[in-house]
Each structure stands twice: as C-alpha cells, then as structure tokens.
Amino acid sequence: MKKKTFFVTLLLFIIFINSSMLIVSLITLRECVETEREKVLSEHYMISSTLLGDMQAVEKRGGDVRASMESLAGTYLRYSRNRGNELAVACGEEWICCGGDISPAKTPGEILSREAASDRIVFIEKTPVPKLCIYGRFPAPYQDYGLFYSADLGEALQSWRQMKNTLFFVSAAVTLLLALFLIQFLDILFRPLREISVASRVIAGGDYHARLRVRGKDEIAVMADNFNRMAGQVESHIKLLQDTADEKQRFIDNFAHELRTPLTAVYGYAEYIQRASLTEEEKFECTEFILSECRRLQNMAYQLLDMAALREMETEDCPVGELFSRVSEIMQVKAAEKGIALTFEEHREEIAGNPDLLITLLTNLIDNGLKASPSGTAVKIRAEGRGDFLMLEVTDQGIGMTKEQLSRIKEAFYRVDKSRSRGAGGAGLGLAICERIVQLHRGKLEFCSVPGEGTVACVTLPTGKTGESEMQ
Ligand code: ADP
C-alpha cells in the first residue's frame, strides 16, 4: 500500500511537472522567436525605407537605379554582414546584389509564391542553423525590386535551449526532493497502520494488554481509539472467560476435596466395624459417625441441587414485612438456643421477587451471623428503600472476617474455619447459593466486616419488576 501510494504520487507529480515545464518552454520559445521577428522586421523596414529614398534620389538625378543598386545598398550590405545577417536586393527574378558570398537559397519568385498577396513575407529557413527571413517588395513604381533580409536564430535558440535545460534540471531536482519528502511523509502517515498491525499481532499472540497511542483527532486517531476499545472488549471478555474457567476448576477441586473427606471417614469406620470385634456401644458410636457424615453428604447434595436449579424463577410482589415475619418464625428458635437476640426493623416496602428464594437468602445470611456470634449479642435485620432499590442488611456482632477471607466467602465450598464449619454442618455452599439468588434478582451482595467486631451482609435489590431496573 505504501509503495503503491509512493509510486502513484511520484508518477503523477512527474507527469505534472514535466508537462508544466514543456508548456513553459514552448511559450518561451514562441516569445523568443516573436521578439527576434519584431527585431528583424524593424531592421528590414528601416533598410528598405532608406533604400527607397536613395532610389528615388537616383531616379531624380536621371541615373539608372538598377546599375547604381550595388553602391546604394553597399552601406547596408556591410552593416548586415557585420551583424552576421544576410541582405540581398532582387530585381525581377534575380538577385542583383547580395551581402554574403552566396545569394539566398530561393529565388524571389519562389519566395513570392508562398504568400503572393502580402507585401512582406516572413519565413524560417531550416538550414543547419535556422534563419528568420523577410522578403518585401518596394512600393510602385519600384515594385520589381525586392529586399531580402535574414537573421540567424541560433543565438536566440541557444539561450532558449539553456533555459529549457535549466528547467528540466530543476524539475529533476524537485522530483528527487519530492521522492525523499514522500518517503518521509508516507512513513509518518502509515505509522499508525504499522502500529495497528503490530498491536494486532501482539493481541493475536495472546497478549491482550497491547494498546495504541491516540494522537490528535483525525480519522486515524478515531480508528486507533476504536481499535483500543475493541482490544479492551476482547481483553475483558477473555478475562471473564478465564475467570469463569478458573471458578469452575476451583469448584471441581473443592467439590472433589469435600467428597473425599467424608467418604474416607465412612469407609474407615465401616471397615473398622467389619474387622474389629466391637461392643454394641462402640458399634453404635461408629454407625452414628457414619450417619452424621452421610447426612452431611446428603445436605451437600441437596444444596448443590438447589444451586443447579437456580436458573430461572417466578416473581411476585413480596411485602417485606411478610418476608421478615416468615424468616423470624424459622430462625427465632435457633437464635434463642444460642442466646442471641434477633431483631427485625419493620418495613412497608414491597419487592418484586421470588418469596421462597428471598427467604432462603435471608435465612442463610442470618444463619451465618448466628454461627459467628457469641451468646448475649444480637443479629439485626433491617430493610431500607433507596430510590428504585431496596437495601437488606443483616448485621451481627460476631468474630468478623479479614479482607482476604471476605474476598473468597462467596466461592463454593470456601469456609474460613473448615473444622468448625464442618462441625456446624456447613459445606461452604450457603453464600454461593445466596449470590446466585441475588444475581437472579439482578441485585448485588456485599459484605463489610471487622475481625472481632462483626459483619454486615448487605443485599441491594431493584424494587421494580425483575429486569426493569438493574444494578450497575
Ligand atoms: P456455610 O454454608 O458453610 O456457612 P457459607 O458459604 O455460608 O458457608 O459461608 C462461607 C464462610 O464464610 C463460612 O464458613 C464462614 O466462615 C464465613 N462467614 C460467612 N458469614 C459470616 C459472618 N457473618 N461472620 C463470620 N464469618 C462468616
């Protein structure tokens, strides 16, 4: 593309500059010949009018004009010879006196046959050095006489040739300069395209950080900007795919790990019962352990099924107060057992959502708060409307979490304290389910926690029909 542009531009320029030079040199040539013509014409006029006066004087004196022509024209013959010009006088069909050694190439009759009508005939004789010739007849009664005068065009042509050579030398120099300028200019012009090509190659090679520098506001800058946007989109999509793949891999790793622990324990106890001779009481303890692990596995299976089933939901208008009273019925007993006060802040708002899923969401969050809190503390549940959104907050005064722990709690199977959570029956799936429920409601689940002070779980949900307003 760059080469093509270079050659086409250069070719167009060469055509343009050479034709301009040609036109200029032709005009100059015409002007040169015209000036020379004017000069020769005036000299011819001057000589012929003076000679005519002399001829009349001879006639008056009763002399023979033709016989005295040699002496009459002598001065002019010398004058023209000194100037390198040719002068000849004709009478009838023959030249009666000539300035040079040789008479004009054509006879007066041949010259007159060119343009019989005109008195003065101007023509160029193409001898080795071109000559500008003028032949004019004298007025009556001397119409038989004619004066031929010619001047060498060599000098004028020589200076025109020099000027023409200079012009073509200048055009060659300008063409060379233009070629150098074009190389530089096209290099600058095509630099963004080169950069785009390099950046695309880098991106194609798997490095999605490559970006172009956007300079100015022209079309190239717009293109570079669009390229950067496209690269940004590709990068974020690839990152999303990568994150999803990582998440899936983590899920599989954690799931395999979660299965292995109870299965190993179940297998070990079953083998122990089979091989060792145990008392009834020992057997009961072993089977009790096996059963508790099986319950845990069953729980996990149900939770996973719940999660898998969370793909779509039916929505209805749920009054928040109603949701709170149902959640309170479910959780009050557990809270009382732990000696924790459960408080709900009344609310009259409504929310478009799935009541069963919203109850699961709230009970999970409250359950986590109860598990993390010592007795004598309180877990508060509060709802507050903010424009098109409803904020649900579950605040506890429990052990809290560090930033690092907070960043992972929504991962499936993640537990801050594995042994304690397992003992409490949690598989680390509760918050993964909560996150899924909130996503289905197009909301946002966030946590704020201070170790040793407590945690606030904050759910922001759009209050309109699902899908009408969406979290940014
Ligand atoms: P589980 O079902 O085992 O409770 P979750 O997914 O609900 O798992 O929670 C993941 C982990 O996050 C829990 O094991 C717990 O350590 C931590 N966690 C969740 N909520 C709280 C909270 N309010 N206070 C302290 N830790 C919490």
Side-chain angles (χ1 to χ4, degrees), residues 368-369 371-372 396 399-401 409 414-417 421 426-431 455:
N368 280 345
K371 279 190 223 163
D396 67 56
I399 52 172
M401 285 170 280
I409 54 172
Y414 176 78
R415 290 178 302 249
V416 173
D417 182 347
S421 299
L429 289 170
L431 290 183
T455 305

Side-chain angles (χ1 to χ4, degrees), residues 303 364-373 394-396 398-401 405-406 408-418 420-422 424-434 447 449 454-457:
Q303 280 188 310
N364 264 326
L365 295 177
I366 295 169
D367 192 44
N368 280 345
L370 292 177
K371 279 190 223 163
S373 305
V394 179
T395 312
D396 67 56
I399 52 172
M401 285 170 280
Q405 291 164 347
L406 270 184
R408 298 194 55 196
I409 54 172
K410 288 192 260 177
E411 270 177 34
F413 302 112
Y414 176 78
R415 290 178 302 249
V416 173
D417 182 347
K418 293 206 186 304
R420 217 169 69 176
S421 299
R422 199 172 283 140
L429 289 170
L431 290 183
I433 291 173
C434 288
F447 287 88
S449 188
T455 305
V456 182

Side-chain angles (χ1 to χ4, degrees), residues 37-334:
R37 186 173 175 272
E38 290 300 318
K39 210 171 82 189
V40 176
L41 268 173
S42 68
E43 280 177 11
H44 181 274
Y45 177 76
M46 191 264 292
I47 295 170
S48 62
S49 52
T50 324
L51 199 59
L52 179 67
D54 294 346
M55 284 159 75
Q56 283 166 341
V58 169
E59 185 98 46
K60 261 188 199 161
R61 283 201 305 270
D64 183 354
V65 174
R66 185 184 166 129
S68 24
M69 190 54 81
E70 190 82 47
S71 63
L72 287 180
T75 323
Y76 307 111
L77 292 171
R78 273 192 304 280
Y79 164 78
S80 54
R81 201 178 301 129
N82 289 343
R83 301 203 63 195
N85 296 344
E86 206 179 324
L87 182 79
V89 182
C91 182
E93 269 298 306
E94 57 178 318
W95 299 108
I96 51 172
C97 59
C98 302
D101 298 334
I102 41 162
S103 53
K106 292 185 173 74
T107 62
E110 281 171 338
I111 296 173
L112 284 171
S113 67
R114 281 169 171 261
E115 280 173 76
S118 62
D119 280 346
R120 284 207 289 183
I121 298 161
V122 182
F123 61 95
I124 290 175
E125 213 168 82
K126 288 174 193 147
T127 46
V129 179
K131 280 180 190 169
L132 184 71
C133 310
I134 296 172
Y135 181 76
R137 279 184 299 179
F138 286 92
Y142 306 106
Q143 62 268 33
D144 284 345
Y145 293 91
L147 182 71
F148 175 87
Y149 188 68
S150 81
D152 210 337
L153 277 178
E155 211 173 295
L157 286 179
Q158 183 59 27
S159 68
W160 171 77
R161 258 187 221 110
Q162 267 174 7
M163 193 265 322
K164 186 189 75 180
N165 289 345
T166 313
L167 274 182
F168 280 97
F169 174 75
V170 168
S171 93
V174 170
T175 307
L176 190 73
L177 279 178
L178 177 89
L180 293 175
F181 168 78
L182 257 185
I183 291 173
Q184 287 296 318
F185 178 69
L186 290 177
D187 199 55
I188 294 170
L189 197 71
F190 279 79
R191 191 177 298 154
L193 291 182
R194 238 185 359 259
E195 284 175 3
I196 288 178
S197 142
V198 171
S200 332
R201 213 173 311 132
V202 171
I203 290 176
D207 180 0
Y208 301 101
H209 299 298
R211 294 289 182 280
L212 295 172
R213 249 194 307 153
V214 181
R215 305 182 201 92
K217 286 180 179 168
D218 56 6
E219 291 82 352
I220 299 273
V222 173
M223 187 172 75
D225 191 42
N226 288 339
F227 179 90
N228 284 346
R229 277 169 208 238
M230 185 192 72
Q233 285 289 326
V234 170
E235 187 178 13
S236 61
H237 277 94
I238 294 284
K239 190 173 176 314
L240 193 73
L241 285 175
Q242 190 65 49
D243 287 351
T244 315
D246 287 352
E247 202 180 307
K248 279 194 176 146
Q249 189 55 46
R250 249 195 326 269
F251 179 88
I252 292 168
D253 292 348
N254 291 339
F255 181 54
H257 183 259
E258 286 303 314
L259 274 185
R260 202 177 52 217
T261 318
L263 280 177
T264 314
V266 168
Y267 185 86
Y269 273 97
E271 206 174 38
Y272 183 54
I273 295 169
Q274 208 180 41
R275 297 227 177 119
S277 54
L278 302 173
T279 63
E280 277 307 307
E281 196 182 333
E282 283 169 334
K283 269 189 197 164
F284 181 77
E285 270 176 30
C286 288
T287 48
E288 192 56 32
F289 187 84
I290 290 171
L291 278 173
S292 96
E293 284 303 284
C294 286
R295 263 195 302 275
R296 222 159 60 74
L297 277 174
Q298 197 180 32
N299 238 346
M300 197 164 79
Y302 285 146
Q303 280 188 310
L304 282 173
L305 279 175
D306 283 350
M307 245 171 89
L310 285 175
R311 289 186 189 283
E312 52 190 32
M313 59 171 188
E314 281 175 10
T315 58
E316 58 185 74
D317 289 339
C318 318
V320 176
E322 234 171 73
L323 281 179
F324 277 5
S325 59
R326 282 176 64 189
V327 170
S328 167
E329 275 168 26
I330 300 167
M331 299 309 290
Q332 241 1 306
V333 181
K334 193 169 182 182

Side-chain angles (χ1 to χ4, degrees), residues 14-25:
I14 289 173
I15 292 173
F16 170 75
I17 197 159
N18 281 301
S19 40
S20 312
M21 297 288 174
L22 197 72
I23 291 169
V24 169
S25 68

